């Protein structure tokens, strides 16, 4: 409970007029000063009187894609039978290491009545957001005093990456039985070789006959460019996350490419440069496959990645069993480090770079696709894969 700026001015003005009126012997000035002080006292009493207020807040929907509309609804009921009140409210939206103040304009609340106010919530950033607690300020008579406190509990809001339209996955590079990389242009599931199992390999590719004969888990190497193994690596190092919003655009690119690949039946993997994410997405074509359900773990993982502050710790992932490697980063990404992670693979770099003058560039057989927004990068992706 504290006086407002207006209340402080009223106290000073009243005191000066009262003293000046008494010193100069002017009853009118003295009475005017006393009147100011009485108003301040009345305002103080008005906020000291307890009012039975009930507050309820609803967030709808509780999950949205980035940029979609989401609003909170605040319902306040004045249980007093005599006194109305003036209220101001502020809700807090926090996620990661940032907090946003959302003001709520509550109209005059008469005695015994309720008011419901809708207010928009920010959904420009990907992540897990916490709504609340709400700060409710009760204004005294004339706005000279106010009484503030926290009311209500918290609500969770999940803001997932946007799923933008894109299509196609580049032709895969299969690893032959002699260790050479060769680009296969025909379809089918021809057996081209066998190799020992590496932790993280898809168990559905076990060659059971050879495994039973040798006693060693063996993985079959098939030539199937129509179902290339796609790995999407998100650069989540602190160096890549210098500008605000870069990770949000990067998440949009990664989620959109994975959605297109999953819908086409490609086995996919989502990982990050620091190893905080490593998720395999099932493959399959037909009515039995629900792309939204398959993609769900990747969307949640990207939300969790955006909600955590960047860290310099973490082990880089092992990029094995990959036909197509797409590295999503920003213009601040350390390209030499990404090339080291890719090893002998020829990755496609997808960079959020507002300063790029060339959308598509090639170097040593690898493509770099740049754009100011996720939509620009995906347009370049479509032109390369079509």
């Amino acid at each position: 409970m504290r006086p407002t700026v207006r209340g402080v001015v009223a106290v000073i003005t009243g005191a000066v007029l009262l003293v000046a009126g008494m010193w100069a012997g002017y009853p009118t000035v003295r009475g005017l000063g006393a009147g100011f002080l009485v108003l301040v006292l009345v305002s103080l009493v008005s906020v000291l009187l307890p009012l039975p207020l009930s507050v309820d807040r609803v967030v709808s929907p509780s999950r949205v894609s980035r940029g979609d509309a989401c609003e909170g609804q605040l319902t306040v009921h004045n249980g007093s039978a005599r006194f109305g009140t003036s209220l101001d409210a502020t809700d807090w939206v926090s996620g990661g290491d940032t907090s946003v103040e959302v003001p709520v304009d509550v109209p005059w609340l008469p005695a015994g009545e309720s008011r419901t106010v809708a207010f928009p919530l920010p959904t420009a950033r990907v992540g897990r957001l916490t709504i609340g607690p709400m700060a409710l300020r009760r204004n005294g008579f004339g706005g000279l005093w106010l009484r503030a406190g926290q009311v209500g509990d918290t609500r969770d809001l999940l803001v997932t990456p946007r799923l933008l339209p894109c299509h196609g996955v580049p032709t895969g590079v299969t690893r032959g039985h002699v260790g050479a990389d060769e680009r296969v242009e025909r379809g089918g599931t021809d057996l081209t070789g066998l190799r020992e199992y590496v932790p993280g390999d898809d168990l559905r590719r076990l060659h059971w006959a050879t495994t039973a004969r040798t006693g060693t888990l063996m993985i079959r190497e098939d030539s199937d460019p129509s179902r290339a193994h796609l790995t999407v690596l998100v650069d989540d190092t602190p160096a890549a996350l210098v500008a605000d919003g870069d990770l949000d655009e990067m998440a949009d690119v990664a989620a959109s490419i994975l959605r297109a690949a999953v819908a086409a039946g490609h086995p996919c993997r989502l990982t990050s440069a620091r190893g905080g994410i490593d998720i395999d997405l099932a493959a399959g074509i037909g009515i039995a496959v629900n792309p939204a359900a398959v993609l769900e773990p990747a969307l949640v993982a990207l939300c969790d990645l955006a909600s955590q502050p960047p860290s310099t710790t973490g082990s880089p992932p092992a990029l094995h069993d990959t036909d197509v490697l797409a590295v999503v980063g920003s213009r601040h990404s350390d390209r030499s480090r990404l090339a080291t992670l890719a090893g002998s693979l020829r990755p496609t770099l997808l960079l959020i770079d507002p300063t790029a003058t060339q959308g598509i560039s090639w170097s040593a057989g690898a493509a770099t696709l740049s754009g100011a927004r996720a939509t620009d990068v995906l347009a370049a992706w479509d032109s390369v894969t079509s």
Side-chain angles (χ1 to χ4, degrees):
M1 187 169 53
R2 61 180 176 83
T4 63
V5 175
R6 185 186 303 176
V8 173
V9 172
V11 170
I12 296 175
T13 303
V16 170
L17 291 177
L18 181 61
V19 172
M22 294 176 64
W23 177 75
Y26 291 112
T28 303
V29 176
R30 185 171 64 248
L32 186 59
F36 273 103
L37 297 178
V38 169
L39 285 177
V40 174
L41 181 60
V42 170
S43 180
L44 174 60
V45 172
S46 68
V47 296
L48 285 175
L49 292 175
L51 284 182
L53 296 175
S54 61
V55 179
D56 182 48
R57 192 221 299 94
V58 177
V59 175
S60 179
S62 59
R63 171 175 174 159
V64 295
S65 295
R66 187 169 78 92
D68 287 354
C70 180
E71 70 174 20
Q73 284 192 343
L74 174 65
T75 301
V76 184
H77 175 71
N78 184 1
S80 174
R82 292 185 176 182
F83 301 103
T85 186
S86 175
L87 300 173
D88 291 321
T90 300
D91 224 348
W92 290 93
V93 180
S94 57
D97 55 354
T98 60
S99 295
V100 178
E101 182 178 348
V102 181
V104 183
D105 186 15
V106 182
W108 172 260
L109 187 60
E113 295 192 11
S114 300
R115 291 286 187 268
T116 299
V117 182
F119 54 97
L121 295 172
T123 59
R125 306 297 299 270
V126 173
R128 295 182 180 272
L129 305 182
T130 301
I131 314 299
M134 176 172 286
L136 191 65
R137 295 181 297 274
R138 178 182 160 195
N139 300 311
F141 177 78
L144 304 179
W145 279 81
L146 64 81
R147 187 175 185 175
Q150 291 185 346
V151 295
D153 53 3
T154 60
R155 295 287 188 271
D156 294 328
L157 175 62
L158 185 67
V159 181
T160 61
R162 295 179 298 170
L163 297 178
L164 302 171
C166 68
H167 59 81
V169 174
T171 302
V173 178
T174 61
R175 295 156 298 284
H177 63 281
V178 295
D181 290 344
E182 56 182 3
R183 189 172 295 276
V184 183
E185 301 293 346
R186 66 184 187 280
T189 55
D190 299 333
L191 177 63
T192 60
L194 297 172
R195 60 176 177 82
E196 290 190 10
Y197 171 81
V198 176
D201 282 337
D202 189 350
L203 294 178
R204 292 171 297 182
R205 300 178 62 194
L206 282 174
H207 194 267
W208 292 106
T210 305
T211 298
R213 185 174 65 255
T214 63
T216 302
L217 293 177
M218 300 297 292
I219 297 294
R220 59 180 293 132
E221 296 283 353
D222 298 327
S223 62
D224 190 357
S226 63
R227 295 184 59 192
H229 286 244
L230 170 67
T231 295
V232 176
L233 185 146
V234 178
D235 186 7
D236 60 343
T237 57
L241 307 180
V242 175
D244 290 339
D246 276 351
L247 183 57
D248 304 308
E249 297 287 337
M250 291 160 56
D252 290 346
V253 172
S256 301
I257 292 176
L258 289 172
R259 194 271 301 269
V262 167
H266 298 279
C268 302
R269 178 189 179 196
L270 172 65
T271 186
S272 63
R274 291 187 296 111
I277 297 178
D278 197 355
I279 297 175
D280 290 317
L281 305 180
I285 302 177
I287 59 175
V289 176
N290 182 358
V294 174
L295 189 62
E296 177 66 15
L299 294 179
V300 174
L302 289 171
C303 290
D304 293 335
L305 183 66
S307 301
Q308 300 169 357
S311 172
T312 57
T313 60
S315 302
L319 301 176
H320 53 77
D321 199 18
T322 297
D323 298 331
V324 179
L325 173 61
V327 180
V328 185
S330 72
R331 68 188 180 99
H332 304 288
S333 295
D334 186 348
R335 302 192 187 187
S336 61
R337 183 177 186 274
L338 296 179
T340 302
L341 288 178
S344 61
L345 299 173
R346 294 192 294 271
T348 300
L349 294 178
L350 301 101
L351 304 180
I352 304 298
D353 185 2
T355 65
T357 58
Q358 187 175 4
I360 304 175
S361 60
W362 298 86
S363 177
T368 299
L369 315 179
S370 303
R373 295 291 203 179
T375 51
D376 303 323
V377 175
L378 291 175
W381 171 270
D382 284 346
S383 64
V384 170
T385 58
S386 60

